[in-house]
Amino acid sequence: CKASGRNRSLRFNPALELRAQEDLSLEQDLRRALNENLLSVNYQPIVDGRSGEPVSLEALVRWQHPQQGFISPERFVGLAEQHGFVAELDAWVARRACADLVALLDEGYDLRVAVNCSALNLSNLQMPEVVARILERTGLDPARLTVEVTENALMNSLGAAVRTLDAVRELGVKVSIDDFGSGYSSLNMLYTLPLDILKIDRKFVSELKEHTRTASVLNVIVQLGKGLGLPVVAEGVETEEQFAFLREHNCDYVQGFYFSAPL
């Protein structure tokens, strides 16, 4: 009932008990995987909109369960949020991503890395301190790290989010708003929030062929970002036609399977 919006009743179903038992078992396995470094991180390139050259990587956590196989991030990140250890999960991914980028820099690659921040972690007062420790221990230049937060996550706790992100930016780390256009934020929020990068939700790119209005909205968002001095990244690029449209409309960066799946 809580997951469905509260203030309602539902008839008991044995499937509910089975799901609860599965979640409990999976949560215990996830804690073990986190403590024993059994998770992995894949990276999807973000490329320059003009040259197509990789300039950054988005870190994406993955879990290959020994018995159940691949578990979707939506499932296990949701469990970590529900059971109160998503901060540890975010920190683990950030440590791994920063260390991996340092290794790539040592090999001569000129790249940045972006890590996702859970909505619940935005109200965590210790989050900026955790980021600072990770940067110190890995030796990564803060200017090469971006923290990505979703539009809806910002709306859930705007005041706390602003304070947390301000502290993160003071470290020299950049902040990106992810999935822009998919939530309920106002334009006023864009210039009051401490942001450095604007990432357009993939639905606008995927629907380019289906809806003529989508192309207009996509172009408006690109120009909006430019007007605010924010570099714009378009996600979900899968075809030459989509890339050509974005390049024609001067989108700064693009990301998607047209260039590479997460690796």
Side-chain angles (χ1 to χ4, degrees):
C1 289
K2 289 180 179 178
S4 301
R6 301 177 180 268
N7 299 319
R8 64 180 64 201
S9 62
L10 291 172
R11 187 175 296 276
F12 175 77
N13 186 318
L16 295 175
E17 183 178 15
L18 179 61
R19 176 64 182 235
Q21 291 173 346
E22 289 175 348
D23 282 355
L24 177 60
S25 175
L26 201 60
E27 179 242 329
Q28 293 170 339
D29 290 345
L30 178 58
R31 287 183 185 272
R32 188 177 308 112
L34 187 57
N35 292 331
E36 298 178 7
N37 289 317
L38 300 178
L39 302 174
S40 63
V41 179
N42 285 6
Y43 299 94
Q44 187 171 40
I46 300 170
V47 308
D48 186 279
R50 303 303 302 176
S51 67
E53 291 295 315
V55 294
S56 184
L57 307 169
E58 181 179 359
L60 301 163
V61 64
R62 296 290 183 261
W63 184 21
Q64 189 72 20
H65 192 281
Q67 283 79 44
Q68 300 185 39
F70 178 77
I71 307 291
S72 75
E74 290 80 7
R75 177 87 188 276
F76 69 81
V77 172
L79 281 176
E81 290 179 334
Q82 182 182 345
H83 293 279
F85 61 100
V86 73
E88 289 87 341
L89 179 61
D90 279 358
W92 185 91
V93 175
R95 281 194 301 272
R96 177 65 181 272
C98 289
D100 285 349
L101 184 62
V102 167
L104 286 170
L105 294 172
D106 289 343
E107 292 181 21
Y109 294 98
D110 184 14
L111 294 166
R112 300 169 42 78
V113 71
V115 297
N116 293 288
C117 177
S118 161
L120 295 181
N121 215 9
L122 281 177
S123 56
N124 177 10
L125 297 178
Q126 305 303 316
M127 199 269 274
E129 182 182 336
V130 171
V131 173
R133 284 202 304 268
I134 290 171
L135 291 168
E136 182 180 1
R137 291 176 183 176
T138 59
L140 182 66
D141 178 359
R144 290 191 180 271
L145 177 64
T146 299
V147 171
E148 292 193 357
V149 294
T150 64
E151 187 178 22
N152 284 334
L154 292 169
M155 293 299 292
N156 289 338
S157 52
L158 189 56
V162 169
R163 290 190 293 272
T164 300
L165 296 178
D166 269 331
V168 168
R169 290 181 85 221
E170 286 177 7
L171 300 172
V173 174
K174 288 184 166 46
V175 173
S176 169
I177 183 169
D178 199 6
D179 299 339
F180 181 76
S182 64
Y184 303 97
S185 66
S186 67
L187 295 181
N188 176 66
M189 192 181 79
L190 273 184
Y191 64 83
T192 57
L193 281 168
L195 298 173
D196 301 287
I197 301 166
L198 181 66
K199 291 190 80 173
I200 304 173
D201 186 74
R202 64 183 61 248
K203 73 175 182 181
F204 293 105
V205 176
S206 67
E207 294 176 0
L208 264 177
K209 277 187 174 180
E210 300 175 27
H211 306 290
T212 55
R213 288 186 178 181
T214 304
S216 299
V217 173
L218 192 56
N219 184 42
V220 166
I221 296 176
V222 171
Q223 300 311 314
L224 174 65
K226 290 185 177 298
L228 293 171
L230 299 174
V232 177
V233 182
E235 296 184 280
V237 179
E238 297 185 355
T239 68
E240 171 65 35
E241 292 75 20
Q242 292 168 348
F243 180 42
F245 176 90
L246 292 163
R247 189 165 45 191
E248 179 185 347
H249 290 81
N250 300 312
C251 185
D252 301 292
Y253 305 106
V254 290
Q255 176 183 356
F257 277 65
Y258 177 68
F259 301 96
S260 175
L263 305 170

